[in-house]
Amino acid sequence: MLSDDILRIHLQELRRGTVVVASLVALRQPGYGYALLQRLADHGFPVDANTLYPLLRRLEEQGLLTSEWNTEERRPRKFYQTSDDGETVLRLLLTDLSAVQKSLTGLIEGVDR
């Protein structure tokens, strides 16, 4: 019998890399963390805040995101945006994701390579 824990673990593994891609796509337009959480969830990528914020910091450290503080509002917010290097990496990730999808479709449909 398949346990819910096993399914949860595999779904989490499947989504782990796609959240990076989804974040880089979503942050082509500047956005702050909480708004990104909502936007990702609205598009089928529910992410926990304890997962997203370290991811944003890591992508920024890798040079894939830039950030800027907006202090004009009542509450200062750190806005992130996909950098030029982030766009390059995103393009490569999307190409690879497309190839993986094509390979999986071939396996599902029984198409030989």
Side-chain angles (χ1 to χ4, degrees):
M1 179 112 210
L2 178 67
S3 77
D4 290 341
D5 285 341
I6 290 173
L7 180 58
R8 181 185 51 76
I9 289 167
H10 287 289
L11 287 172
Q12 183 180 27
E13 288 294 320
L14 180 62
R15 290 183 175 263
R16 183 169 282 137
T18 58
V19 169
V20 170
V21 173
S23 296
L24 290 172
V25 169
L27 291 172
R28 284 176 161 166
Q29 299 297 316
Y32 58 95
Y34 184 73
L36 179 60
L37 279 172
Q38 290 180 314
R39 186 165 183 211
L40 291 175
D42 289 347
H43 286 86
F45 291 93
V47 182
D48 186 79
N50 292 328
T51 299
L52 183 65
Y53 289 105
L55 171 68
L56 292 174
R57 284 191 295 275
R58 187 172 71 246
L59 293 175
E60 184 180 18
E61 287 171 6
Q62 293 171 347
L64 305 182
L65 295 177
T66 59
S67 69
E68 183 175 300
W69 282 96
N70 180 342
T71 57
E72 295 173 6
E73 298 179 23
R74 186 181 85 224
R75 183 176 174 193
R77 292 185 173 146
K78 190 174 187 178
F79 280 74
Y80 296 91
Q81 187 167 6
T82 304
S83 68
D84 290 343
D85 285 346
E87 280 291 336
T88 300
V89 168
L90 176 59
R91 220 174 14 260
L92 294 169
L93 291 174
L94 288 172
T95 298
D96 195 60
L97 185 59
S98 179
V100 167
Q101 183 178 9
K102 183 177 178 182
S103 295
L104 280 173
T105 299
L107 280 171
I108 292 166
E109 295 174 354
V111 175
D112 290 331
R113 279 188 125 198

